Amino acid sequence: MTLFSYKVNEGYSACMKLFLDTANVDQVAEIAAWGTLDGVTTNPSLVAKEGKDFKDVILKMCELVSCVSAQVTATDFEGMKKQGEEYAKWHKNVVVKVPMTTEGLKAVSYFSKKGIKTNVTLVFSVSQAMLAAKAGATIISPFIGRLDDIAEDGMGLIAEIMAVWSQHNFATEVLVASTRHPRHIVDAAMLGAHIATIPYDVFKKLPNHNLTDIGLKKFQEDWEKVSKK
Ligand code: G3P
């Protein structure tokens, strides 16, 4: 039995959504075909890695899933506003991803009033999470792996955010980002997070279990013996 030190959410909400963290359309198509994919998150690093046209990538993904985060690259309010309004016109499934800065908060507040969905990225503290939610973010993205990388407790941050969310009426969904292994997804679900975004190589590990493979092999072998009789 795994010892779990965080307080597990006592209520329950709708099933935690699973997003793929990628800018690769083929990966989205592959995982979407399983029937278990709710959305996609992209960021400028992932888009740069693929080297494809940004708008084309986002539009193709919007045909595969109902929620696709497209990140602004401007860092000032006016620039974010211009980019975000353009992205939102591309497709109804676009969610404008905005960095957690004071300029970003202004942009989120503006987009919220215009009915444009937002995902506030690069969240590393509970105070940032609360400010983004109060500004009207649709989604916030705390980065847990990057906190673990600097010897802080990424999942502990999710536990604290979910504890605050359970005491107050924030409408904003908590998306666990920068996940690095399947256990992160299970822990996020146990804490009541609304969404986890998952890199392709981690998502591919989720359906696998050695005992499933061994069990299936045995079923097939036994069935072959019957059919030979
Ligand atoms: O997309 C945001 C986030 O998930 C990035 O993760 O692994 O670069 O810290 P990572």
Side-chain angles (χ1 to χ4, degrees):
M1 185 182 168
T2 307
L3 287 174
F4 197 78
S5 57
Y6 305 118
K7 186 174 184 292
V8 172
N9 192 4
E10 282 159 4
Y12 64 89
S13 55
C15 182
M16 186 175 79
K17 287 179 261 188
L18 302 180
F19 285 11
L20 191 61
D21 197 25
T22 186
N24 183 304
V25 178
D26 292 340
Q27 291 176 356
V28 177
E30 180 188 340
I31 306 294
W34 298 356
T36 58
L37 188 63
D38 301 295
V40 175
T41 49
T42 66
N43 64 40
S45 305
L46 292 169
V47 173
K49 193 172 113 192
E50 297 301 325
K52 301 265 170 66
D53 179 71
F54 180 50
K55 182 177 177 181
D56 188 52
V57 165
I58 296 295
L59 286 178
K60 283 182 174 145
M61 288 177 170
C62 284
E63 295 304 318
L64 295 165
V65 290
S66 61
C67 181
V68 178
S69 288
Q71 188 166 333
V72 297
T73 49
T75 53
D76 64 304
F77 169 67
E78 288 299 332
M80 290 185 206
K81 182 178 145 189
K82 192 165 169 241
Q83 282 184 327
E85 284 184 323
E86 189 200 333
Y87 297 172
K89 280 184 205 147
W90 289 350
H91 199 286
K92 65 177 172 43
N93 294 350
V94 168
V95 174
V96 179
K97 207 174 185 190
V98 174
M100 179 50 235
T101 60
T102 51
E103 290 297 288
L105 290 175
K106 286 188 221 168
V108 167
S109 175
Y110 173 83
F111 291 138
S112 171
K113 289 181 187 102
K114 292 267 170 184
I116 294 172
K117 289 182 186 163
T118 52
N119 174 0
V120 174
T121 190
L122 293 166
V123 168
F124 293 96
S125 72
V126 179
S127 56
Q128 288 180 326
M130 288 194 295
L131 288 178
K134 285 182 76 70
T138 315
I139 296 170
I140 53 162
S141 292
F143 278 31
I144 62 167
R146 293 192 193 183
L147 282 170
D148 292 349
D149 289 345
I150 60 161
E152 291 196 21
D153 181 3
M155 200 55 75
L157 172 62
I158 302 303
E160 288 186 1
I161 292 171
M162 295 319 298
V164 171
W165 257 232
S166 73
Q167 301 283 336
H168 301 274
N169 199 20
F170 290 116
T172 304
E173 290 189 298
V174 177
L175 180 155
V176 179
S178 188
T179 55
R180 301 278 163 80
H181 50 73
R183 187 69 214 177
H184 272 156
I185 315 311
V186 175
D187 289 350
M190 288 175 72
L191 288 168
H194 306 94
I195 310 165
T197 194
I198 309 165
Y200 176 75
D201 60 333
V202 177
F203 216 122
K204 292 272 283 181
K205 288 178 186 166
L206 295 179
N208 300 335
H209 199 289
N210 203 24
L211 289 177
T212 305
D213 298 339
I214 292 167
L216 181 58
K217 189 166 173 280
K218 179 82 167 66
F219 285 152
Q220 287 178 310
E221 285 166 359
D222 290 345
W223 190 246
E224 268 180 38
K225 284 179 212 158
V226 172
S227 55
K228 274 179 192 156
K229 279 183 188 168

